[in-house]
mmCIF file of all heavy atoms in Angstrom:
data_model
loop_
_atom_site.group_PDB
_atom_site.id
_atom_site.type_symbol
_atom_site.label_atom_id
_atom_site.label_comp_id
_atom_site.label_asym_id
_atom_site.label_seq_id
_atom_site.Cartn_x
_atom_site.Cartn_y
_atom_site.Cartn_z
ATOM 1 N N PRO B 49 88.816 110.045 91.010
ATOM 2 C CA PRO B 49 88.431 110.282 92.375
ATOM 3 C C PRO B 49 89.173 109.278 93.339
ATOM 4 O O PRO B 49 89.422 108.174 92.947
ATOM 5 C CB PRO B 49 86.898 109.971 92.411
ATOM 6 C CG PRO B 49 86.608 109.334 91.104
ATOM 7 C CD PRO B 49 87.734 109.554 90.140
ATOM 8 N N PHE B 50 89.351 109.761 94.572
ATOM 9 C CA PHE B 50 89.961 108.983 95.567
ATOM 10 C C PHE B 50 89.200 107.705 95.821
ATOM 11 O O PHE B 50 89.768 106.709 96.238
ATOM 12 C CB PHE B 50 90.196 109.784 96.874
ATOM 13 C CG PHE B 50 91.011 109.107 97.878
ATOM 14 C CD1 PHE B 50 92.339 109.006 97.792
ATOM 15 C CD2 PHE B 50 90.446 108.471 99.028
ATOM 16 C CE1 PHE B 50 93.153 108.360 98.723
ATOM 17 C CE2 PHE B 50 91.161 107.861 99.921
ATOM 18 C CZ PHE B 50 92.597 107.760 99.808
ATOM 19 N N ALA B 51 87.916 107.732 95.647
ATOM 20 C CA ALA B 51 87.073 106.499 95.866
ATOM 21 C C ALA B 51 87.520 105.354 95.039
ATOM 22 O O ALA B 51 87.401 104.173 95.395
ATOM 23 C CB ALA B 51 85.609 106.923 95.557
ATOM 24 N N ASN B 52 88.150 105.687 93.864
ATOM 25 C CA ASN B 52 88.646 104.564 92.984
ATOM 26 C C ASN B 52 89.757 103.833 93.697
ATOM 27 O O ASN B 52 89.969 102.639 93.537
ATOM 28 C CB ASN B 52 89.118 105.098 91.657
ATOM 29 C CG ASN B 52 87.904 105.528 90.718
ATOM 30 O OD1 ASN B 52 86.793 105.723 91.272
ATOM 31 N ND2 ASN B 52 88.240 105.814 89.523
ATOM 32 N N VAL B 53 90.685 104.609 94.386
ATOM 33 C CA VAL B 53 91.738 104.013 95.077
ATOM 34 C C VAL B 53 91.198 103.113 96.146
ATOM 35 O O VAL B 53 91.669 101.995 96.299
ATOM 36 C CB VAL B 53 92.633 105.154 95.695
ATOM 37 C CG1 VAL B 53 93.771 104.561 96.535
ATOM 38 C CG2 VAL B 53 93.273 105.996 94.516
ATOM 39 N N LEU B 54 90.206 103.622 96.869
ATOM 40 C CA LEU B 54 89.653 102.826 98.013
ATOM 41 C C LEU B 54 89.029 101.508 97.440
ATOM 42 O O LEU B 54 89.227 100.414 98.021
ATOM 43 C CB LEU B 54 88.584 103.615 98.743
ATOM 44 C CG LEU B 54 89.146 104.671 99.676
ATOM 45 C CD1 LEU B 54 87.948 105.355 100.407
ATOM 46 C CD2 LEU B 54 90.067 104.046 100.739
ATOM 47 N N SER B 55 88.370 101.580 96.323
ATOM 48 C CA SER B 55 87.724 100.376 95.880
ATOM 49 C C SER B 55 88.782 99.373 95.346
ATOM 50 O O SER B 55 88.612 98.162 95.439
ATOM 51 C CB SER B 55 86.656 100.653 94.844
ATOM 52 O OG SER B 55 87.101 101.330 93.709
ATOM 53 N N ASP B 56 89.811 99.912 94.770
ATOM 54 C CA ASP B 56 90.927 99.028 94.273
ATOM 55 C C ASP B 56 91.704 98.432 95.449
ATOM 56 O O ASP B 56 92.337 97.372 95.268
ATOM 57 C CB ASP B 56 91.859 99.839 93.422
ATOM 58 C CG ASP B 56 91.401 99.840 91.941
ATOM 59 O OD1 ASP B 56 90.370 99.119 91.657
ATOM 60 O OD2 ASP B 56 92.048 100.494 91.116
ATOM 61 N N LEU B 57 91.667 99.079 96.680
ATOM 62 C CA LEU B 57 92.236 98.407 97.783
ATOM 63 C C LEU B 57 91.599 97.015 98.016
ATOM 64 O O LEU B 57 92.365 96.054 98.171
ATOM 65 C CB LEU B 57 92.070 99.247 99.036
ATOM 66 C CG LEU B 57 92.896 100.501 99.195
ATOM 67 C CD1 LEU B 57 92.599 101.104 100.598
ATOM 68 C CD2 LEU B 57 94.367 100.236 99.031
ATOM 69 N N ASP B 58 90.273 96.999 97.984
ATOM 70 C CA ASP B 58 89.575 95.734 98.151
ATOM 71 C C ASP B 58 89.875 94.731 96.993
ATOM 72 O O ASP B 58 90.158 93.590 97.172
ATOM 73 C CB ASP B 58 88.121 95.978 98.282
ATOM 74 C CG ASP B 58 87.811 96.690 99.587
ATOM 75 O OD1 ASP B 58 88.356 96.361 100.640
ATOM 76 O OD2 ASP B 58 87.069 97.716 99.551
ATOM 77 N N GLU B 59 89.810 95.292 95.798
ATOM 78 C CA GLU B 59 89.896 94.482 94.574
ATOM 79 C C GLU B 59 91.310 93.924 94.438
ATOM 80 O O GLU B 59 91.499 92.687 94.188
ATOM 81 C CB GLU B 59 89.620 95.270 93.335
ATOM 82 C CG GLU B 59 88.208 95.651 93.118
ATOM 83 C CD GLU B 59 87.340 94.449 92.760
ATOM 84 O OE1 GLU B 59 87.782 93.702 91.876
ATOM 85 O OE2 GLU B 59 86.292 94.317 93.392
ATOM 86 N N LEU B 60 92.329 94.770 94.584
ATOM 87 C CA LEU B 60 93.688 94.403 94.186
ATOM 88 C C LEU B 60 94.630 94.201 95.327
ATOM 89 O O LEU B 60 95.430 93.244 95.344
ATOM 90 C CB LEU B 60 94.244 95.554 93.304
ATOM 91 C CG LEU B 60 93.492 95.877 91.993
ATOM 92 C CD1 LEU B 60 94.087 97.113 91.348
ATOM 93 C CD2 LEU B 60 93.599 94.616 91.070
#
Side-chain angles (χ1 to χ4, degrees):
Chain B
F50 188 75
N52 290 13
V53 174
L54 283 181
S55 60
D56 275 355
L57 286 184
D58 293 312
E59 289 289 312
L60 301 171

